[in-house]
Amino acid sequence: MAKKKTDKGVDCDRRAFITGKGWLPAFVGAIGLAGLGSIVGLKPRVLPDPSAQFKIGPPQDFPVGTVKVFDEEKVTIFHDHDGMYAISLVCTHLGCIVSYNDADARFDCPCHGSKFTLQGKVLKAPAPRALDWFEISALPSGQLMVDRGVTVPMGTKVVV
Ligand code: FES
């Protein structure tokens, strides 16, 4: 069969194009690569986030009765008679930063008015759930560390 030249000088065999000899292998290859990419994309890539962890100092810096706000890390540390605990300052509604309201003993969100107890429980919506509690652990150096990548059930306190 005779091949025709296009105006750009490229051979174009009409029968080969229609039967898929030209484009079919490229199409199948593209679909295969897309499928492989999807499978690779499904693999979880959860790595510990070192930036989620921060040291807060030795236990002696937190006597019973301490309430210490870490603005940059968006966490408040409490030490009551049952132990220490760390509560997130990130509102569970849309992520604004709640403020510690010492006078009323609660957390207030400036964005849409949610209010939380000092345990993080919702007092006033629209926040859909309580503030997160984060893990506190002791390092071999004696320093305490908060891991914002690890939430713990409300009420989990560390005895130091
Ligand atoms: S972000 Fe806190 S109430 Fe909306």
Side-chain angles (χ1 to χ4, degrees):
M1 176 169 189
K3 292 184 178 179
K4 294 180 181 174
K5 286 246 185 213
T6 64
D7 58 344
K8 293 182 180 172
V10 177
D11 284 337
C12 180
D13 185 336
R14 188 172 165 199
R15 177 167 292 175
F17 179 78
I18 290 173
T19 58
K21 287 181 183 168
W23 58 269
L24 189 58
F27 179 74
V28 170
I31 294 295
L33 283 176
L36 184 64
S38 298
I39 291 169
V40 170
L42 291 175
K43 182 180 171 190
R45 294 183 196 162
V46 179
L47 299 172
D49 180 6
S51 65
Q53 303 169 340
F54 65 99
K55 294 175 189 167
I56 58 173
Q60 305 87 278
D61 290 355
F62 298 89
V64 173
T66 297
V67 179
K68 196 168 183 179
V69 177
F70 289 78
D71 288 318
E72 192 172 315
E73 293 82 3
K74 302 173 185 67
V75 169
T76 299
I77 306 294
F78 292 88
H79 191 180
D80 65 17
H81 290 286
D82 298 323
M84 290 182 65
Y85 53 103
I87 297 183
S88 171
L89 295 177
V90 178
C91 182
T92 55
H93 180 223
L94 293 177
C96 290
I97 305 306
V98 301
S99 58
Y100 173 67
N101 179 341
D102 191 25
D104 296 322
R106 66 174 190 237
F107 293 106
D108 298 332
C109 182
C111 293
H112 309 103
S114 287
K115 299 185 185 318
F116 303 87
T117 68
L118 293 184
Q119 304 293 307
K121 291 179 188 168
V122 177
L123 284 171
K124 183 174 177 248
R129 62 178 178 82
L131 298 173
D132 287 329
W133 283 46
F134 296 131
E135 181 182 76
I136 298 177
S137 57
L139 298 172
S141 64
Q143 293 260 330
L144 296 171
M145 184 181 75
V146 175
D147 191 341
R148 290 171 293 173
V150 180
T151 56
V152 295
M154 181 183 291
T156 304
K157 299 181 182 180
V158 176
V159 178
V160 293

